[in-house]
Amino acid sequence: MWIALGFVALLWLAQLLNWGLDLELERFGVRPRQLGGLPGILIAPLLHSGFPHLTANSLPLLVLGTGMLYLYPNSTLTVIPAVYLGPGAAVWLFARE
């Protein structure tokens, strides 16, 4: 549970810093088929469009992350990177500009 809670806390910290310091972190999102958008595959999962979006994702991420880490520890090293990187890679490859 502590790993999942730590990740959710990291998401909240990123959102609070972005909001409080007006960092405009959205510019680091995925930009389809642009080399400059590749880092967004790693960064975009940490970014949210606002507090309602982050709030809606926090509890499911905490529950599913804890369940994954506790119930399927052998699959964790395969599933978590795929879930973290897969959607960003798909967006970079297939999304419209």
Side-chain angles (χ1 to χ4, degrees):
M1 179 178 112
W2 293 111
I3 294 172
L5 187 60
F7 186 70
V8 171
L10 176 66
L11 297 178
W12 276 91
L13 178 63
Q15 182 66 28
L16 286 168
L17 288 173
N18 188 34
W19 171 74
L21 301 176
D22 198 26
L23 299 175
E24 298 179 11
L25 294 177
E26 298 81 16
R27 66 179 181 236
F28 296 113
V30 179
R31 288 182 304 220
R33 292 175 303 285
Q34 295 179 15
L35 288 178
L38 280 173
I41 294 173
L42 295 173
I43 298 167
L46 302 174
L47 305 177
H48 289 76
S49 63
F51 286 105
H53 182 205
L54 180 57
T55 302
N57 286 344
S58 293
L59 184 60
L61 183 57
L62 184 60
V63 171
L64 295 173
T66 300
M68 180 72 199
L69 292 163
Y70 181 73
L71 298 172
Y72 303 101
N74 295 331
S75 299
T76 298
L77 292 177
T78 303
V79 172
I80 289 180
V83 168
Y84 187 89
L85 299 174
V91 167
W92 192 84
L93 287 170
F94 303 115
R96 288 178 273 158
E97 296 201 26

